[in-house]
């Protein structure tokens, strides 16, 4: 993308209404703009990040055998009356009437709808287990939308639903999802810690929240740093092997981790001092097992080999895809701006043309831009170098290719790594090779 012709409206000053660093940086880097309280438009650079995060989430869901589908945002009230949640859900649910006076709602979650879709066509034990998921916008009329996309009213969630014949199956699905979650966060460079959670309005008795440390988090958390050293990749845990899943689950429950509601100072004190971590945490995911909470009232039955009918055991599994954009920034920034992990950066590199009116400079930049294509943001604006340096640091591209007139005459550029700040002068060719090798 050419910055001169992009809708990436960076801001020099901190917006007065943004209280936390990720919110400030998302506005300043031109990633999002608020359109109503707690509702945001994702501008081109922000949307690229959102899509990259969604893609990692998708790949890790697919890797454990979950199937992607897409359910609508608008749901009929009748389904929620069947489960009893239409009245119990409260004011967070946006209730709507259409022109025929039919009651609808903008989905805050999809347990009822997925249970309905399954009961329409899945009848036999031979068709289970299954896990399905979608990545879809949700609406919750939060009392206090705040912190930008962290607690919005409209937000993007990945929600998955598992259907099993018995508790043993449901437990396996739960563990597979939990493993997929740890891999998802690991790939994004986040140290997310699974914590035993209250099951809340969705119900059930097995539940974990996935929390990352950040000073602006909404809950106080305590955990053993041993979690940070575990490698969750497929070579370590095979999701198809029950023994691996059991070993994984044991590991997830032996090390200490708790939010303030469940914190036990005496047990925490037995964690070696140098491994004790305490701070504020952001919830980036939440998983539940809830048995037949929906299949029973909604009368979803499955015929077993002996002809007996049972209600399938279910679980649901959420990741805050749009919240993750803010959470990653909370975890990775400095005084100058965002420091994107390579895998979610909107652009791999920025090309900074320090003197657009210089022929050699512009020629080299164009060559570089042609080579990198869509993965580069080309700062071709007629601005002072200082403005370009500041904006590139603010936007947080993993690499900057800085092209000034003196070096350009020799075919040389400067390559800067945003994370460590190291700068090296080298030929354009070597710079491009270095970037390619890093991928
Ligand atoms: P919270 O405790 O933060 O209110 P929740 O427990 O109501 O969240 P879940 O129903 O578990 O949320 O939703 C799954 C995930 O969706 C959460 O872990 C969180 O990452 C994300 N999420 C929930 N509410 C919001 C929101 N208002 N804005 C952005 N993301 C959200
Ligand atoms: Mg939750």
């Amino acid at each position: 993308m050419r910055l001169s012709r992009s809708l990436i409206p960076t801001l020099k000053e901190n917006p007065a209404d943004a209280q936390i660093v990720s919110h400030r940086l998302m506005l300043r880097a031109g990633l999002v703009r608020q359109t109503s309280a707690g509702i945001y438009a994702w501008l081109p650079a922000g949307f690229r990040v959102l899509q990259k995060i969604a893609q990692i989430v998708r790949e890790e869901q697919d890797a454990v055998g979950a199937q992607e589908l897409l359910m609508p945002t608008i749901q009929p009230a009748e389904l929620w009356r069947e489960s009893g949640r239409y009245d119990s859900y409260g004011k967070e649910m946006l209730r709507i009437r259409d022109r025929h006076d039919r009651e609808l709602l903008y989905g805050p979650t999809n347990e009822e709808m997925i249970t309905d879709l399954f009961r329409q066509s899945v009848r036999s034990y031979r068709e289970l287990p299954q896990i399905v998921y979608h990545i879809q916008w949700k609406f919750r009329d939060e009392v206090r939308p705040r912190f930008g996309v962290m607690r919005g009213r409209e937000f993007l969630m990945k929600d998955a639903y598992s259907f099993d014949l018995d508790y043993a199956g449901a437990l396996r699905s739960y563990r597979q999802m939990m493993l997929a979650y740890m891999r998802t966060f690991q790939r994004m460079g986040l140290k997310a810690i699974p914590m035993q959670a209250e099951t809340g309005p969705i119900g059930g008795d097995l539940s974990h929240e996935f929390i990352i440390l950040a000073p602006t988090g909404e809950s106080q958390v305590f955990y053993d740093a041993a979690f940070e050293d575990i490698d969750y990749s497929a070579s370590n845990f095979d999701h198809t092997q029950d023994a691996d899943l059991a070993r994984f689950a044991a590991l997830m429950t032996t090390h200490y981790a708790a939010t303030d509601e469940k914190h036990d100072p005496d047990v925490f004190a037995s964690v070696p001092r140098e491994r004790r971590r305490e701070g504020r945490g952001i919830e980036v995911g939440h998983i539940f097992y809830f048995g037949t909470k929906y299949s029973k009232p909604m009368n979803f039955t499955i015929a077993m080999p002996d002809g007996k009918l049972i209600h399938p055991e279910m679980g649901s599994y959420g990741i805050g895809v749009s919240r993750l954009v803010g959470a990653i920034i909370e975890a990775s920034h400095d005084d100058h701006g965002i420091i994107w992990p390579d895998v979610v950066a909107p652009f791999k590199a920025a090309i900074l043309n320090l003197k657009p009116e210089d022929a050699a400079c512009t020629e080299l930049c164009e060559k570089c831009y042609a080579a990198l294509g869509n993965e580069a943001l080309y700062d071709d604006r007629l601005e002072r170098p200082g403005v370009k340096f500041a904006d590139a640091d603010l936007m947080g591209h993993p690499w900057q290719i800085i092209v000034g007139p003196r070096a350009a005459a020799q075919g040389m550029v400067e390559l800067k790594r945003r994370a460590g700040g190291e700068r090296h002068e080298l030929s354009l060719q070597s710079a491009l090779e270095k970037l390619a090798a890093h991928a």
Side-chain angles (χ1 to χ4, degrees):
M1 242 184 244
R2 284 175 195 271
L3 192 49
S4 63
R5 307 281 299 273
S6 301
L7 186 60
I8 305 181
T10 56
L11 304 172
K12 266 205 234 43
E13 304 299 330
N14 271 325
D17 53 330
Q19 301 166 29
I20 64 170
V21 66
S22 60
H23 189 193
R24 283 198 289 273
L25 289 174
M26 287 184 74
L27 293 170
R28 287 191 53 207
L31 303 180
V32 292
R33 285 295 181 262
Q34 180 171 285
T35 58
S36 312
I39 303 181
Y40 290 83
W42 292 81
L43 303 185
F47 188 50
R48 289 170 74 108
V49 178
L50 192 66
Q51 283 178 301
K52 288 198 175 175
I53 291 175
Q55 184 57 26
I56 292 174
V57 170
R58 175 177 288 123
E59 285 169 13
E60 294 304 327
Q61 293 288 297
D62 292 349
V64 296
Q67 320 160 58
E68 185 170 16
L69 48 68
L70 184 60
M71 291 178 270
T73 54
I74 304 293
Q75 305 185 25
E78 295 96 81
L79 281 182
W80 288 66
R81 290 220 162 83
E82 284 192 54
S83 71
R85 281 209 294 181
Y86 191 65
D87 297 317
S88 67
Y89 209 92
K91 288 193 167 168
E92 286 188 0
M93 186 192 283
L94 180 64
R95 295 163 166 87
I96 318 166
R97 278 176 197 274
D98 70 10
R99 64 168 74 203
H100 306 292
D101 219 28
R102 279 189 289 247
E103 291 174 288
L104 301 169
L105 57 101
Y106 194 119
T109 178
N110 286 67
E111 282 81 5
E112 284 80 357
M113 184 169 275
I114 197 66
T115 304
D116 181 47
L117 290 166
F118 265 77
R119 78 177 165 185
Q120 286 179 40
S121 46
V122 178
R123 306 245 145 73
S124 158
Y125 70 95
R126 289 191 197 88
E127 297 166 83
L128 294 187
Q130 290 196 38
I131 304 177
V132 293
Y133 73 97
H134 71 163
I135 300 174
Q136 177 62 293
W137 295 92
K138 304 290 184 287
F139 190 91
R140 293 182 187 174
D141 202 351
E142 301 275 358
V143 198
R144 279 215 301 154
R146 58 189 182 142
F147 299 160
V149 301
M150 292 281 215
R151 184 164 295 283
R153 293 198 297 166
E154 189 180 70
F155 59 96
L156 190 60
M157 195 201 284
K158 184 286 301 177
D159 38 324
Y161 303 91
S162 64
F163 293 86
D164 283 276
L165 298 174
D166 52 22
Y167 178 75
L171 192 62
R172 180 185 303 126
S173 296
Y174 187 90
R175 289 172 172 174
Q176 287 175 331
M177 273 291 133
M178 192 165 184
L179 182 57
Y181 274 45
M182 298 314 286
R183 288 177 178 162
T184 302
F185 300 129
Q186 176 171 302
R187 274 182 67 183
M188 291 173 191
L190 293 174
K191 298 188 191 310
I193 312 300
M195 313 222 173
Q196 281 276 336
E198 302 292 348
T199 46
I202 292 186
D205 46 13
L206 183 54
S207 175
H208 284 91
E209 287 175 350
F210 298 80
I211 295 195
I212 65 160
L213 275 196
T216 49
E218 291 185 324
S219 47
Q220 187 71 14
V221 298
F222 308 81
Y223 69 89
D224 183 337
F227 270 114
E228 298 177 352
D229 302 326
I230 303 170
D231 175 13
Y232 298 101
S233 51
S235 55
N236 238 355
F237 300 103
D238 179 344
H239 78 276
T240 64
Q241 299 300 315
D242 283 343
D244 280 24
L245 289 174
R247 184 166 53 87
F248 165 71
L251 209 51
M252 294 298 96
T253 44
T254 40
H255 300 308
Y256 188 85
T259 55
D260 39 6
E261 299 121 53
K262 300 222 164 187
H263 180 53
D264 182 339
D266 294 337
V267 183
F268 192 50
S270 67
V271 176
R273 186 176 297 278
E274 70 282 3
R275 292 208 328 244
R276 277 179 231 158
R277 297 283 183 277
E278 178 183 346
R280 308 297 293 173
I282 302 172
E283 179 193 318
V284 289
H286 197 163
I287 62 178
F288 303 87
Y289 158 73
F290 46 72
T292 59
K293 183 177 155 82
Y294 299 94
S295 55
K296 206 166 182 177
M298 294 184 70
N299 199 28
F300 170 28
T301 57
I302 287 285
M304 296 301 281
D306 59 3
K308 236 178 77 189
L309 296 179
I310 57 123
H311 298 295
E313 299 260 331
M314 295 173 56
S316 73
Y317 313 86
I319 290 184
V321 175
S322 50
R323 178 179 286 184
L324 273 169
V325 181
I328 290 171
I329 295 173
E330 290 290 329
S332 186
H333 67 271
D334 64 14
D335 290 346
H336 303 288
I338 302 167
I339 304 172
W340 286 118
D342 296 84
V343 288
V344 300
F347 300 95
K348 185 169 189 175
I351 305 163
L352 310 192
N353 187 341
L354 299 188
K355 203 168 184 194
E357 60 277 27
D358 180 275
C361 233
T362 294
E363 200 189 311
L364 203 60
C365 284
E366 291 288 347
K367 224 164 117 185
C368 180
Y369 183 45
L372 291 172
N374 198 29
E375 279 297 301
L377 182 67
Y378 175 20
D379 193 346
D380 58 343
R381 297 173 302 172
L382 292 168
E383 289 282 0
R384 288 180 293 111
V387 171
K388 298 190 177 189
F389 291 136
D391 272 354
D393 279 355
L394 171 63
M395 288 188 265
H397 318 288
W399 301 96
Q400 294 170 20
I401 299 168
I402 302 162
V403 186
R406 214 171 316 118
Q410 261 80 60
M412 303 290 278
V413 302
E414 214 178 344
L415 183 65
K416 174 178 162 179
R417 180 76 176 156
R418 175 67 176 89
E422 316 83 38
R423 299 165 73 134
H424 298 287
E425 199 177 67
L426 67 192
S427 70
L428 174 61
Q429 194 52 38
S430 320
L432 292 173
E433 277 162 18
K434 191 153 178 198
L435 250 65
H438 194 84

